[in-house]
């Protein structure tokens, strides 16, 4: 991975930006993240009182929750 790809993949996104990135509504993402029973929520980065997500963590979250059977 080149240096520019690393910086793009590690860009921090707020909860609102993360939900936009995933293409889901803001409240749906918050429910998935704050649900204490959901052990597969994306790993967050906390800076002060704010929570951010890397694109890699969001992509990993989607991969982990893919449904292979209908």
């Amino acid at each position: 991975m080149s240096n520019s790809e690393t910086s793009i993949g590690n860009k921090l996104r707020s909860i609102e930006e993360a939900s936009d990135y995933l293409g889901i509504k803001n409240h749906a993402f918050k429910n998935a993240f704050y649900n204490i029973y959901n052990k597969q929520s994306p790993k967050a980065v906390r800076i002060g009182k704010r929570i951010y997500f890397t694109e890699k963590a969001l992509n990993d979250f989607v991969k982990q929750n893919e449904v292979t059977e209908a």
Side-chain angles (χ1 to χ4, degrees):
M1 195 182 300
S2 72
N3 201 15
S4 64
E5 290 177 72
T6 303
S7 64
I8 292 171
N10 290 328
K11 177 183 176 188
L12 295 177
R13 294 182 176 266
S14 66
I15 290 176
E16 293 79 16
E17 292 171 329
S19 62
D20 286 343
Y21 178 77
L22 295 175
I24 60 177
K25 298 212 182 255
N26 197 10
H27 69 276
F29 182 76
K30 284 182 180 181
N31 286 341
F33 178 69
Y34 288 111
N35 183 354
I36 61 171
Y37 300 108
N38 182 6
K39 302 297 183 192
Q40 298 179 350
S41 63
K43 293 186 180 182
V45 176
R46 184 178 296 267
I47 300 175
K49 293 183 178 185
R50 297 185 182 225
I51 296 175
Y52 299 95
F53 303 89
T54 62
E55 289 178 8
K56 182 181 181 325
L58 295 171
N59 291 334
D60 291 345
F61 174 70
V62 170
K63 274 188 181 176
Q64 290 173 355
N65 289 291
E66 283 181 344
V67 177
T68 56
E69 297 176 11

